[in-house]
């Protein structure tokens, strides 16, 4: 049963905020513990209890219409495909890979919120272009957000990342970005980069602008973001993927493209334990498997956001298995 009385103080919901974050902020504003507020909502949360059971009680105690809370919090969006305005291209929260990270501290402050906000994000949510802050990989709290004023190439890479989404499709880019990030950071550990001075320069620029200690989990993905995005574009390209598996020197041309795109200058594939070589082997094995089980290719590349129901292609062309090789 939904509570009948609104709480004395309310808080504004933040775009794509998690339900737990909103409840915590609402409890703090009313000088309540989180468990006290949850008891007041009157919903017993079990593993089988859908999060949508909290929609009406939260609407009653916060004073916001249920439709407003549904637009603000993706957890209340139950349909994967929808044509409702405001519900398209929103993060899917039920996937194992779904990400929740602290919102940009400057955006939160500009919204008049004095506490931290946790929000659902997609894989490309790494840089706040409005405030030039690194808010992506490695950031566990707002204090981890790094100032990028002295690293303009990182902000440019964020715009490049958005272009990749339009060019190749979000479904194919988001998995390749995580793989490119893993490959590049392994390269950094295993190889001595020729331009180590440039790496140190970027680290100093990031630390001096941020003016607080940063963890290695934040520094490395941030300073190498331009190269990681360049490598993502190569891994996500259907043209290069097909060319790679077609033989006739495809692997040689593929590795040469890494240098041309300035992902890693002078890169040569010399060792079989190279992280890129392992990726290539994995992709070849995947495509051989999907020749006989085509539907598995789509299952291994799930959607990251809600999609429109109408005007949607009946079958994505990349779900068609590659020709025999």
């Amino acid at each position: 049963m939904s509570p009948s009385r609104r709480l004395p103080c309310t808080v504004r919901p933040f775009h794509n905020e998690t339900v737990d974050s909103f409840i915590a902020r609402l409890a703090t504003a009313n000088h309540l513990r989180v468990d006290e507020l949850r008891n007041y909502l009157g919903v017993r949360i079990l593993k089988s209890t859908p999060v949508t059971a909290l929609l009406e009680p939260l609407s009653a105690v916060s004073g916001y219409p249920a439709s407003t809370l549904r637009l603000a919090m993706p957890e209340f969006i139950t349909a994967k495909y929808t044509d409702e305005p405001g519900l398209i291209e929103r993060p899917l929260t039920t996937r194992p890979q779904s990400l929740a990270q602290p919102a940009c501290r400057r955006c939160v402050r500009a919204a008049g919120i004095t506490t931290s906000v946790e929000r659902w994000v997609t894989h490309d949510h790494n840089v706040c272009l409005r405030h030039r802050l690194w808010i992506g990989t490695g950031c566990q709290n707002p204090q981890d957000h790094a100032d990028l004023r002295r690293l303009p190439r990182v902000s440019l890479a964020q715009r490049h990342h958005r272009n990749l989404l339009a060019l190749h499709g979000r479904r194919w880019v988001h998995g390749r970005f995580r793989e490119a990030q893993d490959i590049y950071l392994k390269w950094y550990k295993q190889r001595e980069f020729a331009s180590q001075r440039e790496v140190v320069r970027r680290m100093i620029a990031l630390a001096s602008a941020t003016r607080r200690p940063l963890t290695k989990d934040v520094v490395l993905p941030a300073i190498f973001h331009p190269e990681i995005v360049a490598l993502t574009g190569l891994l996500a390209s259907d043209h290069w993927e097909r060319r790679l598996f077609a033989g006739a020197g495809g692997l040689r041309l593929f590795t040469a493209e890494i240098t041309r795109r300035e992902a890693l200058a002078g890169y040569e594939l010399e060792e079989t334990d190279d992280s890129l070589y392992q990726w290539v082997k994995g992709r070849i094995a995947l495509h051989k498997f999907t020749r006989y089980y085509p539907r598995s290719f789509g299952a291994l590349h799930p959607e990251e956001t809600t999609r429109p129901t109408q005007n949607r292609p009946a079958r994505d062309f990349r779900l068609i298995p590659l020709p025999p090789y």
Side-chain angles (χ1 to χ4, degrees), residues 29-54:
N30 289 276
H31 303 281
L32 297 171
R33 297 194 307 271
V34 173
D35 58 336
E36 291 177 335
L37 177 55
R38 287 188 175 275
N39 290 335
Y40 182 64
L41 293 176
V43 178
R44 187 182 179 187
I45 302 297
L46 303 173
K47 287 186 177 181
S48 59
T49 305
V51 69
T52 52
L54 294 170

Side-chain angles (χ1 to χ4, degrees), residues 91-102:
L92 292 174
T93 62
T94 56
R95 299 169 53 250
Q97 298 86 2
S98 299
L99 298 174
Q101 293 177 342

Side-chain angles (χ1 to χ4, degrees), residues 47-264:
K47 287 186 177 181
S48 59
T49 305
V51 69
T52 52
L54 294 170
L55 181 57
E56 293 298 334
L58 276 179
S59 174
V61 300
S62 66
Y64 288 100
S67 58
T68 300
L69 297 181
R70 188 163 174 258
L71 282 172
M73 304 177 206
E75 285 166 275
F76 292 140
I77 303 174
T78 56
K80 181 178 178 181
Y81 299 104
T82 178
D83 292 319
E84 289 188 55
L87 302 187
I88 302 173
E89 295 289 343
R90 302 293 296 279
L92 292 174
T93 62
T94 56
R95 299 169 53 250
Q97 298 86 2
S98 299
L99 298 174
Q101 293 177 342
C104 170
R105 64 174 188 269
R106 292 176 183 170
C107 290
V108 170
R109 194 177 303 119
I113 301 173
T114 57
T115 57
S116 62
V117 173
E118 194 88 359
R119 64 180 304 203
W120 294 103
V121 299
T122 51
H123 81 279
D124 55 303
H125 195 80
N126 294 294
V127 177
C128 176
L129 294 175
R130 176 181 296 177
H131 298 113
R132 289 184 291 179
L133 285 181
W134 177 263
I135 56 177
T137 305
C139 294
Q140 302 297 325
N141 55 71
Q143 287 68 37
D144 291 332
H145 293 169
D147 199 315
L148 300 173
R149 288 175 297 172
R150 299 183 182 180
L151 292 174
R153 287 190 61 213
V154 178
S155 297
L156 289 176
Q158 180 68 17
R159 299 182 187 277
H160 181 201
H161 197 159
R162 291 183 175 181
N163 292 338
L164 291 179
L165 296 177
L167 179 63
H168 301 298
R170 175 177 294 278
R171 184 175 192 177
W172 311 107
V173 174
H174 83 266
R176 305 295 81 76
F177 174 74
R178 296 302 175 196
E179 292 167 357
Q181 196 173 62
D182 183 61
I183 290 171
Y184 201 88
L185 295 181
K186 285 182 179 178
W187 280 347
Y188 177 71
K189 293 178 181 179
Q190 296 172 356
R191 298 167 176 257
E192 291 186 2
F193 282 9
S195 184
Q196 187 65 29
R197 178 179 296 181
E198 171 65 14
V199 175
V200 174
R201 185 197 68 80
R202 295 185 193 184
M203 289 181 175
I204 294 174
L206 189 68
S208 60
T210 306
R211 297 183 180 180
R212 70 167 63 89
L214 295 171
T215 65
K216 193 176 182 180
D217 292 338
V218 174
V219 172
L220 294 181
I223 66 172
F224 292 136
H225 192 57
E227 289 78 13
I228 291 171
V229 172
L231 183 59
T232 300
L234 181 59
L235 301 186
S237 170
D238 176 65
H239 165 76
W240 280 103
E241 191 167 357
R242 291 177 182 271
R243 193 167 185 175
L244 175 64
F245 301 148
L251 181 59
R252 178 180 55 82
L253 295 173
F254 189 83
T255 53
E257 188 71 7
I258 293 175
T259 298
R260 195 190 71 81
R261 298 194 182 202
E262 299 182 353
L264 183 60

